Amino acid sequence: MEEINEQELFERLEHVEVYRPFGLYLYTPLCGTCKAGMRMMHVVEAMLPDIELLQINLNFSPRLVARYQVRSVPGLFLFDPKRRGEPVQVYEMRSVEHLFNIIKDVIR
């Protein structure tokens, strides 16, 4: 997963008509659950190579936290242009299968 910063994310979302669907993994570096979720996301990324998955460190993303009222980490936001910049928010990192099915259903 490629790291993205808050500025790059908001620039991408300004052009809602041209970006392709993508997933954004929300984490903080000292969160143990985030590390486990990240390992699951790497497996999902290998299973869905045609879907763009990015990650963002929420310690440096206060506008993102405020704009989307982020509830906790880890989290996964699925952005699809059809939703006009409003992501599907996922906070349950149950299993690789669970994440795979949600991503596949929302942005494929």
Side-chain angles (χ1 to χ4, degrees):
M1 285 186 298
E2 179 184 339
E3 185 82 22
I4 190 171
N5 66 42
E6 188 178 68
Q7 182 65 33
E8 293 167 326
L9 174 65
F10 286 128
E11 285 174 9
R12 177 183 287 224
L13 294 176
E14 283 178 19
H15 305 289
V16 70
E17 66 281 349
V18 294
Y19 74 77
R20 64 183 196 159
F22 67 95
L24 180 67
Y25 183 72
L26 314 172
Y27 75 97
T28 58
L30 299 178
C31 166
T33 307
C34 296
K35 287 180 181 31
M38 194 171 292
R39 285 191 295 272
M40 287 191 276
M41 289 298 297
H42 285 296
V43 174
V44 171
E45 183 176 39
M47 295 168 68
L48 296 170
D50 56 324
I51 293 179
E52 185 177 24
L53 296 176
L54 305 169
Q55 62 188 30
I56 192 164
N57 181 345
L58 286 187
N59 286 338
F60 302 110
S61 309
R63 290 185 334 176
L64 173 68
V65 171
R67 179 174 178 177
Y68 295 110
Q69 299 176 352
V70 175
R71 296 186 308 222
S72 65
V73 290
L76 175 64
F77 283 9
L78 302 171
F79 289 93
D80 187 332
K82 293 177 230 156
R83 296 179 180 274
R84 297 283 180 209
E86 287 304 314
V88 171
Q89 297 183 18
V90 179
Y91 291 99
E92 295 180 36
M93 304 287 151
R94 284 189 246 164
S95 67
V96 169
E97 180 182 14
H98 172 75
L99 294 171
F100 173 84
N101 288 328
I102 290 173
I103 293 169
K104 186 180 64 142
D105 290 346
V106 173
I107 61 176
R108 195 169 229 195

